[in-house]
Amino acid sequence: REKIKGLEHRIMDMVRHGNENVIIADRLQRWARNLFQVQSGRALPATIVAEIRQQFMVPQAAIRLWRVAPAHAQAPFAVSPGDEVKSWAATLSSPYCGAPAHEDITQWMAQPDQVQSMAVVALRDPEGELIGLLALASPDPQRYHAGMGTDLLERIGQLAGAALSRLS
């Protein structure tokens, strides 16, 4: 009986995880669909941030791009970070999750004093060239941590990078 009870608990956990994964997949699809509907390239970074905040309940988010066409050079998202941040971004082979890594990136947020944990995703164009960063921030120190899975963040970064590559 104890063995059966243990198996029942494992099955219930698997069903719960499966349901959570379906919810996440639905959110990712809605986010991507909304990106496809953006006509103006200039509106795309703000839409990416707004939709991430809404679909994934992220308290704060920001995008910075440093490979943009001259027509977008004065846009708020085109404020190039310092060389230290760019060098650090170039080393990201997967999203960074944990305590705020760079004060410069924390300052991109509307409320930088409330940032306790952060996820930073390198944005690359379809050829793999680094074009910017997507930063997500939370007042919860455990929301983004080093041991968390980053598959969803990687997919978001790939989709956002491909969409934003039209700005360069």
Side-chain angles (χ1 to χ4, degrees), residues 16-32:
R16 184 176 47 81
H17 289 300
N19 288 337
E20 289 171 0
N21 287 341
V22 168
I23 291 168
I24 291 169
D26 286 346
R27 289 178 180 167
L28 182 62
Q29 182 194 7
R30 281 192 302 272
W31 177 76

Side-chain angles (χ1 to χ4, degrees), residues 35-102:
L35 293 189
F36 294 144
Q37 294 174 340
V38 175
Q39 299 294 317
S40 164
R42 194 172 191 89
L44 191 56
T47 302
I48 289 171
V49 167
E51 288 295 321
I52 284 175
R53 290 186 67 201
Q54 180 180 356
Q55 298 296 335
F56 299 103
M57 293 161 280
V58 174
Q60 298 188 71
I63 285 180
R64 293 295 182 271
L65 302 173
W66 49 84
R67 282 192 43 211
V68 296
H72 304 294
Q74 301 305 313
F77 58 82
V79 176
S80 183
D83 290 337
E84 184 181 326
V85 170
K86 284 183 179 180
S87 295
W88 179 76
T91 68
L92 292 177
S93 58
S94 63
Y96 166 83
C97 297
H102 284 279

Side-chain angles (χ1 to χ4, degrees), residues 44 123-126 131 156-167:
L44 191 56
L123 299 172
R124 299 181 187 281
D125 66 15
I131 61 171
I156 288 172
Q158 290 168 354
L159 290 168
L164 291 165
S165 66
R166 69 177 166 162
L167 299 179

